[in-house]
Structure formats: structure tokens, C-alpha cells
Amino acid sequence: MDYFNFREQTLWCEDVSVEEIASKVGTPFYLYSHKTLVHHFRVFDLAFGEVPHIICFSVKANSNLSILRIFVAEGGGVDIVSGGELYRALQVGVDPMKIVYSGVGKTLDEIDYALKTGILMFNVESSEELGVINERACAMGKLARIALRVNPDVDPKTHPHISTGLKSNKFGIDIEKSREEYRRAKGLSNIEVIGVDCHIGSQVTQIAPFVDALDRLKNLISLLKKDGIEVEYLDLGGGLGITYNDELPPHPEQYAKAILGASGDLKCTFILEPGRVIVGNAGILVTRVLYNKSTDQKNFVIIDAGMNDLIRPSLYSSYHLIQPVVMKGRESIVADVVGPICESGDFLAKGRTIPRVERGELLAVMSAGAYGFTMSSNYNSRPRIAEVLVRDDQFFVIRERESYRDLVRGEDVPNFLK
Ligand code: LLP
């Protein structure tokens, strides 16, 4: 459920008209609904209400400080994958004991930063990484709390680029080898084993892969018990999908019910790392039509947002509903909706049936709150766009549009070139 609605044929975000924001902020921009964000977080949190749990929002999905702040205020933690994400989390006051750190390539500096911060746990992704974390903890006189990120080898049946829990993926430690690795971890001087972790993939729209993964983890947990290793935290990662088009993902309540049902009598604190399901449908991308153009073969609608602003369609052939901000009765055409970038792969939709739109009119690219701004770039020297948050009848620019000056910040021309 979201708070983007048409009122008399014009799109509103909560109690603010999208046209009004566009006239003040310019286009393109990302637009988020506060009420939707809070609602999604609460529904997810409540779904796990009957067990001890921490909802660690996955920062990579949307890392804007104001958005993170909303979840902190709701009692959430974060799932991070870099020093930069840790920095952001600390900026908004996330409790270090609600921070989990995944990622196959943690650098020494990043490990030190997390140890200094005293995060809840590292989700360790390789045998070598475990050794390095122990060494760094030793050097700093710290105890590193860890889980091993186990690769359960289940097929999440999602796009190959965002599937992570298969043996062929680079993530985690093979479940068959993990018991051995846990035994090793237990023997390391500055490591405290506290958890088991997995993350099978993203935009998963079925329950079965989550339950399969949990079954395998449960089995591992009982083996670990025999080895004298008590698992306090079970981190099941993120991955629950959303409706972009006609997908029918389970509701968070069904998802939680299935997980809690399958977890049996496990006595541990559950950690969940949702990203997309919280922010995906809480944000849209607002863009303006620059030109219409027709060739013998095709219609093109050329807009002021490009693949540098929202790369998902180009990268994963993802579907995002695109609709005029002001609906009015008119004929439909089939068109490619494309950006200004000098690449044929720069499109937000291909062969899409849309109303015949006019130059200068506003379009809303829906379901763009997750992996939209965070994956944007300056390609073609395009300043990254503004982010706006609506709360009731007010809107706030929570990230200003970059300027040309921002584009060259940090660049230096050595004397011999001057
Ligand atoms: N935890 C870990 C360890 C992850 O790697 C991810 C996402 C999540 C949690 C959050 O997953 P979510 O609940 O959002 O599905 N850029 C792609 C998605 C990449 C997901 C990467 N990992 C996209 O735009 O679809």
C-alpha cells in the first residue's frame, strides 16, 4: 500500500501535488512518501512481533540520511556493506548493536572502522576474511562478534544478477563447509561466534526458497550445538519482492508466518535485512518529456531522466510503470521511453503502451524508491538529481540536485597540463 494517488486525474503524494513539487524543485527528482515508508516498516516489524527480532534495513536500497533516520526512529537497525554505509548509519544515530555488516570484500580499513564502532556482528563471507577479522581484532584488543554468511544453495528464482544463494554465486561460505569453518572460528582468540546468516537473493516473489534456506540453516544450527556453539542470532537476510507490474509476492505477514512456522522451537533473535519491500513502492521518479520523435519503425518519448538516474531497466530489463502525472483522455501509442544518454541501452521502457504524451509534460516512473538513487551515477557528466520527501501536506528537499561544480569536485589538473 502506498500514498501516491490520483485526485481528479492529477498525481499526488500524500497531500502534496506532484506538479507543485516539480514546479519548485525542477525535474527530474526522486520523490518519497513518509507515510508509506513508516507504514511499510511497521507492517514488516509487526509481522515478526511475536519473536525477539531486529529489522536491519538494507542501506544499499536507499541510503539517504533522512530515509535512514525514519527507520532509526522506528527502532530499526541497518545492514551495511561498506565503510561508507557505516558512516551514513552513524550519522543518523543507528545503535551500533543493531548493525550487521555483510559483503565479500571488506577492506582492512573497513574492518577496523566496524571494530572501533562495536557493531553487533560481521557476516563473514570467506575463510580468509575470518582470519583477517581475528587478526585486526587482536591488534586492536577487541572481540569481534561474527556470524558466517552461509550459502545454502537454494534457487530464489529471480533475475540471475540478483540471485545470491546459489553455489555458483560469489557470496557466503558453502553450507557443507560451514560447520568446519565454525569450529575454526570458535578456536580463534578474538572471535565470538554469535550467529548464522544467509541472504538468498533479491526480488524473490515466492515463499518456498526462504523456507528451504531456513530448513538448511536449522540443520546447521543443530549440528553446531553438538560442537558446543550456541547460535544467538539468526540473520535471514532480505530479498522479499514487491509488485512492479503483475508480480504477486507474499505479503510480509505471510512471509513472517512461513518463516516463524518453519523455525520451530529455535530460541534466537531473528535478524531481517529488508530493503526493497520497505522503500521500493514508497518512491517514484518524476521526469519531464523533452521531445517526441517517430521513425519509420518506432515512437520514442525522450525524457529528462536517463539510465544514469535509474539504471534498473537497462541493467536488469526491469519493469517500472510509467504514467503521466496529469491523466487526460487520449489515445495510446507504443513507444520506447528513453533518456538523453548517448547509449542505445539508455531506456526506462521499451515497446510500452502509454498515452500519447506531450512535450513538457510530467511523467511518474513508479516503484523507484529502491536501488534508484543509490545506483545513480554522473555518467555523461549529468549532476545527480534531487531527492524529495513528502510528509502530509509538506515537502522537503532531502538531497539537493548536484551542480556542475559538484561534478568536478576533487579533480585537479597537475601543473604540467596547465
Ligand atoms: N542483505 C544483503 C546481504 C543483500 O545483499 C541485500 C541486497 C539485501 C539484504 C536487501 O535485499 P532486498 O530486500 O532489497 O531484496 N540492485 C538490484 C538489487 C540488488 C540487491 C543486492 N543485495 C535491483 O535493483 O534490483
Side-chain angles (χ1 to χ4, degrees), residues 58 60-61 79 81 102 149 162 164 199 201-203 237-240 244 273-277 312 316 370-371 375:
S58 192
K60 64 180 86 61
D79 150 53
V81 290
S102 307
R149 174 166 175 182
I162 53 177
T164 46
H199 169 78
S202 197
Q203 184 54 12
L240 186 57
Y244 285 99
E273 304 174 355
R276 191 188 316 262
V277 70
R312 305 192 67 258
Y316 317 113
Y371 308 105
M375 292 180 82

